Amino acid sequence: MVKILLVEDNEMNRDMLSRRLIRKKFEVVIAVDGAEGVDMSISEAPDIILMDMSLPILDGWQATQKIKADPQTKNIPVIAMTAHAMAGDREKCLDAGCDDYDTKPVEFARLLDKIKNLIGKEPTK
């Protein structure tokens, strides 16, 4: 089963997105701040990380930089998820080490395509 680490501090966003991913047969583990996301990237060994960029303790940019700097986690794809949709925001996320970028509110079909492209497989039952 494909495991997704969802790093999101907003409870409504976490609930909505995790339920939809679980219905699509993904296993979902959740971190509520950037520091927890970094720790769980090691302890949970997810196949992919969905990283909110506006997080407490460590923001998504800092958390992604730490994940990508660690030999244990550097190859885990990270998709930045952010309400920041201004010119240059995508590049800022990619410069921090994110492998892709998606805007909020999440368009679920588009996000699923990005997940499948980065992990190279469909979820299994």
Side-chain angles (χ1 to χ4, degrees), residues 44-87:
E44 293 290 336
D47 295 293
I48 192 164
I49 300 169
L50 303 180
M51 180 73 71
D52 180 27
M53 301 315 281
S54 299
L55 293 165
I57 303 182
L58 283 179
D59 65 32
W61 293 278
Q62 295 166 317
T64 299
Q65 288 170 336
K66 286 183 175 286
I67 289 166
K68 293 299 187 171
D70 187 322
Q72 270 187 277
T73 56
K74 70 179 182 182
N75 293 321
I76 301 170
V78 177
I79 298 177
M81 296 191 324
T82 180
H84 301 281
M86 304 298 286

Side-chain angles (χ1 to χ4, degrees), residues 3-8 14 27-49 51 58 63 67 70 72-73 76:
K3 184 188 286 190
I4 295 175
L5 172 56
L6 174 59
V7 187
E8 171 64 67
R14 275 195 316 264
E27 178 183 354
V28 179
V29 293
I30 297 172
V32 298
D33 63 56
E36 187 177 32
V38 172
D39 292 343
M40 289 180 73
S41 71
I42 295 167
S43 66
E44 293 290 336
D47 295 293
I48 192 164
I49 300 169
M51 180 73 71
L58 283 179
I67 289 166
D70 187 322
Q72 270 187 277
T73 56
I76 301 170

Side-chain angles (χ1 to χ4, degrees), residues 3-18:
K3 184 188 286 190
I4 295 175
L5 172 56
L6 174 59
V7 187
E8 171 64 67
D9 64 325
N10 180 287
E11 185 176 356
M12 243 173 29
N13 290 344
R14 275 195 316 264
D15 185 58
M16 180 275 302
L17 193 50
S18 64

Side-chain angles (χ1 to χ4, degrees), residues 79-106:
I79 298 177
M81 296 191 324
T82 180
H84 301 281
M86 304 298 286
D89 287 331
R90 183 177 196 282
E91 290 72 26
K92 184 178 175 185
C93 291
L94 297 177
D95 287 347
C98 294
D99 298 278
D100 207 338
Y101 166 92
D102 206 21
T103 56
K104 292 180 181 177
V106 171

